[in-house]
């Protein structure tokens, strides 16, 4: 096993273990904090894939933003911290069947797809290429993204200020 | 290529070791003799009032939401800014205009919230 493999399995283990805690934890705050490690593990896998910019974005937006927003959501909700949030009925057998079928589908797709492999070359930083593509090939998508963010901005403002009208 | 990230891993490792040491060393090395006053929640020496899990105003949520939107905005500006000198040499003003439009569209949203009084803290 090479160093690369060891690092990959380390990050995969972090992601899966903390994801398991997110789902099974009774305390919603513990779930939110385990989600931090899930995001971190995914960021590590992005780095291994050579997507350095995406990894930084993952940490900056998901860990630095979305997770904080999630914890804000917990704080904004009245009397949520001491409530058992898991459902009373957990259907193990149907759940196992559904997960098994999904996993079989994914694994068979993974095994039988003819993946296009190419000899590994030292990847250069992706940031420069992204910056170039944003204002050349994908300029329309870029401007549409601005409008999408504008919609999110106005939506947040109108939801949060509704009672003051 | 993975070896480029070894310094980052070292920083992460050092940070987590330091954090764990700070949090757990007092529990490991310190004597544990609790009494009623000692295990009370600490509120600057005063007796605690009410519970800690109270509802917090929605105004904070708007600020957090604004933070995320502008966070994402900066992410799109960053790769453009890194390459800007070369892009300007190649495309001239057309390297500048798309980003200008993008930023103006987002500032329109900011101005809208500002005019609507979304940032007023009453």
């Amino acid at each position: 096993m090479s160093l690369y493999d060891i690092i990959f399995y380390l990050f995969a283990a972090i992601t899966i273990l903390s994801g398991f805690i997110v789902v099974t934890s009774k305390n919603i705050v513990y779930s939110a904090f385990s989600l931090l490690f899930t995001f971190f593990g995914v960021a590590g896998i992005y780095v291994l894939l050579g997507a350095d910019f995406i990894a930084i974005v993952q940490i900056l937006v998901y860990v630095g933003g979305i997770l904080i927003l999630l914890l804000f959501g917990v704080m904004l909700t009245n009397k949520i911290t001491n409530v058992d949030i898991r459902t009373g009925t957990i259907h193990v057998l149907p759940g196992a069947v559904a997960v098994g079928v999904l996993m079989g589908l994914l694994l068979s797709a993974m095994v039988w797809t003819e993946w296009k492999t190419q000899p590994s070359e030292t990847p250069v930083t992706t940031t420069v290429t992204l910056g170039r593509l944003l204002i050349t090939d994908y300029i329309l998508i870029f401007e549409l993204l601005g409008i999408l963010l504008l919609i999110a901005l106005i939506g947040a403002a109108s939801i949060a200020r509704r009672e003051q009208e | 290529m993975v070896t480029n990230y070894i310094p980052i891993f070292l920083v992460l490792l050092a940070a987590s070791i330091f954090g764990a040491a700070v949090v757990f060393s007092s529990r490991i090395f310190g004597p544990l003799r609790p009494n009623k006053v000692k295990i009370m929640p600490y509120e600057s020496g005063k007796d605690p009032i009410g519970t800690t899990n109270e509802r917090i105003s929605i105004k904070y949520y708007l600020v957090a939401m604004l933070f995320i939107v502008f966070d994402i905005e900066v992410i799109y500006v960053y790769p453009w800014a890194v390459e800007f000198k070369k892009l300007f040499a190649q495309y001239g003003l057309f390297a500048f205009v798309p980003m200008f439009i993008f930023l103006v569209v987002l500032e329109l949203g900011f101005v809208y919230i500002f005019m609507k009084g979304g940032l007023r803290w009453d």
Side-chain angles (χ1 to χ4, degrees), chain B:
Chain B
M1 143 266 159
V2 181
T3 48
N4 288 344
Y5 290 91
I6 285 176
I8 296 176
F9 283 121
L10 286 178
V11 168
L12 278 177
L13 199 72
S16 27
I17 288 171
F18 180 75
V22 165
V23 171
F24 293 111
S25 61
S26 70
R27 185 175 295 177
I28 294 167
F29 299 116
L32 195 68
R33 286 190 292 273
N35 61 37
K36 207 181 170 218
V37 179
K38 270 189 187 172
I39 58 174
M40 216 162 65
Y42 181 71
E43 276 188 20
S44 311
K46 284 182 73 78
D47 289 342
I49 307 158
T51 53
T52 50
N53 49 358
E54 276 179 4
R55 248 174 128 170
I56 290 166
S57 170
I58 190 90
K59 287 177 290 188
Y60 295 98
Y61 194 76
L62 180 63
V63 174
M65 196 70 203
L66 288 181
F67 166 71
I68 289 195
V69 170
F70 288 111
D71 204 24
I72 296 169
E73 175 191 342
V74 168
I75 277 163
Y76 285 103
V77 175
Y78 181 77
W80 169 82
V82 167
E83 186 70 349
F84 183 69
K85 266 188 184 168
K86 281 183 196 164
L87 285 172
F88 191 73
Q90 198 175 340
Y91 299 107
L93 211 57
F94 287 100
F96 178 70
V97 169
M99 184 53 72
F100 186 74
I101 295 169
F102 178 75
L103 290 178
V104 162
V105 164
L106 275 164
E107 292 321 307
L108 278 178
F110 184 67
V111 167
Y112 169 79
I113 288 175
F114 200 81
M115 300 288 254
K116 212 170 162 239
L119 299 173
R120 224 182 298 129
W121 206 262
D122 40 26

Side-chain angles (χ1 to χ4, degrees), chain A residues 11 47 52-53 60-61 64-65 69 72 75-76 78 81 127-128 132 136 139 142-143 145-146 150 153 156-157 161, chain B residues 1 5 9 53 55-57 60-61 64-65 68-69 71 75-76 79 83 90-91 98-99 102 105 109 113 117:
Chain A
F11 279 121
V47 167
D52 51 355
F53 189 73
L60 215 66
V61 172
L69 206 66
F72 260 78
M75 281 157 65
L76 291 162
N78 204 5
T81 43
T127 316
V128 168
R132 185 164 284 273
T136 52
I139 183 162
F142 176 56
E143 302 299 351
L145 259 165
L150 177 72
L153 211 64
R161 299 298 289 194
Chain B
M1 143 266 159
Y5 290 91
F9 283 121
N53 49 358
R55 248 174 128 170
I56 290 166
S57 170
Y60 295 98
Y61 194 76
M65 196 70 203
I68 289 195
V69 170
D71 204 24
I75 277 163
Y76 285 103
E83 186 70 349
Q90 198 175 340
Y91 299 107
M99 184 53 72
F102 178 75
V105 164
I113 288 175

